[in-house]
Amino acid sequence: MSHGAPIHLRPTAPLGERVLLPGDPGRALALAQALLQEPRMFNHHRGLWGYTGAAPDGEPLTIQATGMGGPSAAIVLAELIALGASSAIRVGTCGALVGGLALGELVIAREAICADGTSRALGAGERVDAERSLTDALTRQAPSARVGAVVSVDLFYDNDERRFDEDALAIEMEAAALFAVGGAAGVPVACVLAVSDTFDARGERERIDDHTLLEAAERMGRAAIAALAA
């Protein structure tokens, strides 16, 4: 499918070919302020804040929010690729599905289990892989992160007691769609996540506090930028 001029992104600054993709516009701003030199607003259309600035290696990098869920993420990445993005890493949040994952811990997704509609609509099967070499670079930059499969879903508030594949470390909403878009376009896409929610044996949710989340976001942002520069 060809894309003409972007409809949902309206750039007000140049695009850096290397891109970080947080879901949350506020986290895009926080990461741009913490990790980029002289960030300029790249997009504010539809509340999808994005910023371009100089990464630590001096080269341009864009941090662009995707919004929530696969449909929004797929639109944003497709339009970034149309504008010239050459590699991207999702820097998002996830809910832990296995014991031993603490709030604020990092998870790197080698693959996503496609329990969402968007990746399936894009032609993905049961699972879709992250791009291997970029993921390997990410694991070198975040050696303490847990690495494995995540499951991508459409519902954040889901009372269904379905049990996902036992090998999934965490649950989130955008990775499968992003991997599918990147794979179809031949653009490397990887994903690192901070654990923002854990669940006890009764399914009760414990949510991360804002300070711990921001600290984790900056750690994963630095690792992702270093991986993109490798």
Side-chain angles (χ1 to χ4, degrees):
M1 180 170 57
S2 64
H3 301 281
I7 295 169
H8 306 84
L9 298 179
R10 297 185 181 173
T12 54
L15 172 74
E17 291 186 9
R18 306 171 301 174
V19 183
L20 296 191
L21 297 171
D24 177 5
R27 195 173 309 120
L29 173 58
L31 290 176
Q33 290 173 327
L35 304 177
L36 299 181
Q37 297 170 10
E38 299 183 9
R40 296 171 56 197
M41 184 158 251
F42 169 76
N43 182 73
H44 61 82
H45 189 55
R46 289 184 174 256
L48 294 166
W49 299 349
Y51 303 87
T52 297
D57 65 1
E59 295 299 314
L61 183 134
T62 294
I63 302 177
Q64 174 60 53
T66 64
M68 287 183 282
S72 180
I75 289 168
V76 168
L77 181 55
E79 294 193 1
L80 288 169
I81 291 170
L83 288 165
S86 62
S87 56
I89 297 179
R90 164 159 159 70
V91 285
T93 57
C94 62
L97 290 179
V98 295
L101 274 177
L103 293 173
E105 196 165 345
L106 301 188
V107 172
I108 293 170
R110 281 211 177 274
E111 61 180 351
I113 298 163
C114 301
D116 66 315
T118 305
S119 64
R120 295 303 184 102
L122 288 164
E126 295 288 328
R127 296 175 182 238
V128 59
D129 290 333
E131 199 276 333
R132 180 170 294 176
S133 61
L134 187 55
T135 303
D136 287 345
L138 192 54
T139 61
R140 288 192 291 273
Q141 298 298 332
S144 65
R146 293 279 291 273
V147 183
V150 300
V151 56
S152 297
V153 298
D154 287 331
L155 297 177
F156 183 84
Y157 297 107
D158 185 2
N159 295 323
D160 191 345
E161 286 298 307
R162 288 173 303 170
R163 287 291 169 259
F164 296 106
D165 299 60
E166 290 180 4
D167 64 330
L169 295 173
I171 185 169
E172 58 84 70
M173 299 181 71
E174 292 85 20
L178 293 170
F179 294 165
V181 170
V187 170
V189 177
C191 173
V192 58
L193 305 163
V195 175
S196 61
D197 299 86
T198 57
F199 304 90
D200 66 18
R202 297 169 300 169
E204 294 295 321
R205 182 190 299 267
E206 182 182 357
R207 181 77 178 170
I208 198 168
D209 67 83
D210 289 346
H211 175 78
T212 306
L213 179 55
L214 180 60
E215 191 270 333
E218 291 184 10
R219 269 190 292 124
M220 67 178 168
R222 287 190 188 92
I225 289 173
L228 287 167

